[in-house]
Amino acid sequence: MSTATESQSSAEAVAGDPLLRVDGLHVRFPVRGAGRRQWLYAVQDVSFTIGRGETVGLVGESGSGKSTIGNALLRLVPVHAGTVRLGDTDVLAARGREITDVRRRMAMVFQDPLAALDPRCTVAESVAEPLQIHRLRPSGGRRARVAELMDLAGLPSRFLDRYPHELSGGQRQRVCIARALAAEPELLILDEATASLDVSVQSQILNLLRQLQQEMGLSYLFISHDLASVEHMSDRVLVLYLGRIMERSPREDLYRSPGHPYTQALISAIPLEDPVAERQRRRIILEGDIPSPIDPPSGCVFRTRRPLVIPECAEDLPPGHDLGPDHTAYCLRAGEQVGGT
Ligand SMILES: Nc1ncnc2c1ncn2[C@@H]1O[C@H](COP(=O)(O)OP(=O)(O)O)[C@@H](O)[C@H]1O
Ligand SMILES: [Mg+2]
């Protein structure tokens, strides 16, 4: 375990002082199976950094552990092992008021804005709540700050006294963004933040997020199962499968020359806009299903999906294979091409 942690973190040669540094993160959940207590290994040995003003994309299929990583950063699930540093703060050692402050500095935006907002609160009340919790403005200055935050999120002030059910999905997500910004965070964890929205609204929200990042120097952890929006948003990308990082890379390099067979399969499945290219697109179809995180395969957890598999894949965790600056794939056959159909 420690060897893998070291190999993953040393592969990450990021210059300067990152805002967030995650090292060897493990999260497991107790579950009951076959009448006895077992562990579900949701996140295993995940290490990464996020720089100031940087967007790191976290991509992987449903169940790969993306939300659990976001939740672990905010201390919403128990962490089994690892360290998380936010600036000078040891996040996993924080207690009481320090945890509240960690949750101020890293704010989360969720997939479903209707579930995230209290139906009994007006827009103004929802956006003002973090100001109270974190004692950010004297109560007299709050209404003006709420108007400012709504303006930042592109919401007209006539929405101040409306309720969530009176708004569209995109407007509600703007309220959640205004609310997240109210805490004056350094990092936003965007967990499938546009997945519930129509495509045209999705791109409006993504553009808003990019614009806010430029204006405010925010860092983003952009969590999504959608490779196209991850490409649109991210500076660097982490590819997650069964709780483990398969590949990490600057965005352009990843989409141009994916080194891990899993990343190659994911990218081969992105529909192309050009109808001719779309017809000629070669897709890599993986065999079988994602194994259970209660009993992950030995060696490389991806090996049961078959492409390029060799007997050695079953033996040890694959070491990192460097494919370029900051670009590492955890695969014995990294860089080889899987044939498509
Ligand atoms: N509170 C929990 N208790 C037990 N299992 C959980 C819990 N939360 C998540 N899991 C499991 O952990 C794995 C990762 O889940 P999640 O992080 O939600 O994945 P993703 O966000 O990538 O879809 C899944 O197998 C999921 O069922
Ligand atoms: Mg999720």
Side-chain angles (χ1 to χ4, degrees):
M1 178 167 110
S2 66
T3 334
T5 306
E6 278 158 29
S7 64
Q8 288 215 347
S9 40
S10 62
E12 185 140 342
V14 175
D17 180 22
L19 172 66
L20 182 81
R21 175 177 287 282
V22 177
D23 269 299
L25 185 71
H26 289 255
V27 180
R28 56 184 204 178
F29 297 107
V31 287
R32 292 198 72 81
R36 61 196 170 92
R37 199 167 116 132
Q38 293 179 306
W39 292 108
L40 183 152
Y41 299 95
V43 175
Q44 296 214 76
D45 196 22
V46 163
S47 303
F48 64 95
T49 61
I50 304 180
R52 290 174 200 279
E54 187 182 37
T55 298
V56 171
L58 182 55
V59 70
E61 289 160 283
S62 172
S64 57
K66 305 180 298 296
S67 295
T68 303
I69 292 175
N71 292 336
L73 300 183
L74 293 176
R75 298 281 304 272
L76 298 171
V77 293
V79 168
H80 176 58
T83 56
V84 176
R85 294 198 74 84
L86 178 66
D88 291 333
T89 307
D90 181 344
V91 170
L92 301 183
R95 295 283 171 269
R97 192 77 204 165
E98 291 168 343
I99 298 182
T100 312
D101 199 52
V102 161
R103 291 181 188 154
R104 183 192 68 70
R105 295 171 64 193
M106 294 192 274
M108 180 101 100
V109 178
F110 298 94
Q111 172 168 354
D112 181 358
L114 195 55
L117 295 169
D118 186 334
R120 297 159 304 176
C121 289
T122 64
V123 168
E125 286 164 348
S126 286
V127 176
E129 194 183 41
L131 302 177
Q132 290 154 19
I133 294 172
H134 303 293
R135 303 170 196 159
L136 286 170
R137 297 283 152 132
S139 47
R142 280 184 194 146
R143 185 92 181 167
R145 178 60 177 156
V146 167
E148 208 173 275
L149 289 161
M150 290 193 39
D151 190 45
L152 276 171
L155 285 165
S157 55
R158 63 178 155 45
F159 286 180
L160 274 168
D161 297 311
R162 298 215 183 151
Y163 289 89
H165 73 267
E166 300 176 281
L167 307 179
S168 70
Q171 289 161 349
R172 283 181 206 130
Q173 198 56 302
R174 287 176 191 267
V175 175
C176 293
I177 291 168
R179 185 179 149 87
L181 295 177
E184 297 175 21
E186 292 156 70
L187 176 88
L188 286 190
I189 300 173
L190 303 157
D191 189 355
E192 305 276 8
T194 59
S196 69
L197 306 173
D198 294 341
V199 177
S200 64
V201 183
Q202 257 182 32
S203 58
Q204 287 166 16
I205 298 289
L206 294 179
N207 290 338
L208 169 71
L209 289 167
R210 286 174 65 119
Q211 185 194 329
L212 290 169
Q213 180 172 47
Q214 276 173 5
E215 284 168 20
M216 307 171 81
L218 291 164
S219 303
Y220 291 158
L221 179 61
F222 186 81
I223 298 177
S224 175
H225 68 278
D226 172 28
L227 271 106
S229 53
V230 169
E231 182 176 22
H232 184 63
M233 292 297 286
S234 311
D235 299 306
R236 285 187 298 127
V237 181
L238 309 168
V239 181
L240 203 67
Y241 178 84
L242 212 60
R244 288 190 182 270
I245 292 180
M246 298 290 109
E247 184 162 8
R248 64 177 80 235
S249 174
R251 181 222 353 168
E252 262 184 76
D253 209 13
L254 187 86
Y255 285 79
R256 195 185 335 111
S257 43
H260 196 289
Y262 180 54
T263 320
Q264 291 177 23
L266 288 177
I267 289 178
S268 82
I270 305 176
L272 301 172
E273 275 168 38
D274 173 17
V276 179
E278 172 62 28
R279 250 178 278 128
Q280 291 166 350
R281 178 162 66 101
R282 292 168 70 83
R283 286 201 59 173
I284 300 167
I285 311 289
L286 298 175
E287 288 181 37
D289 297 315
I290 304 182
S292 165
I294 297 173
D295 186 21
S298 66
C300 168
V301 292
F302 181 67
R303 70 182 166 83
T304 58
R305 309 303 295 281
R306 308 290 309 163
L308 305 178
V309 75
I310 49 176
E312 289 78 356
C313 299
E315 286 167 19
D316 296 308
L317 281 172
H321 186 108
D322 290 340
L323 296 163
D326 274 347
H327 183 173
T328 306
Y330 299 89
C331 175
L332 289 174
R333 304 194 61 186
E336 294 181 39
Q337 295 304 308
V338 184
T341 48

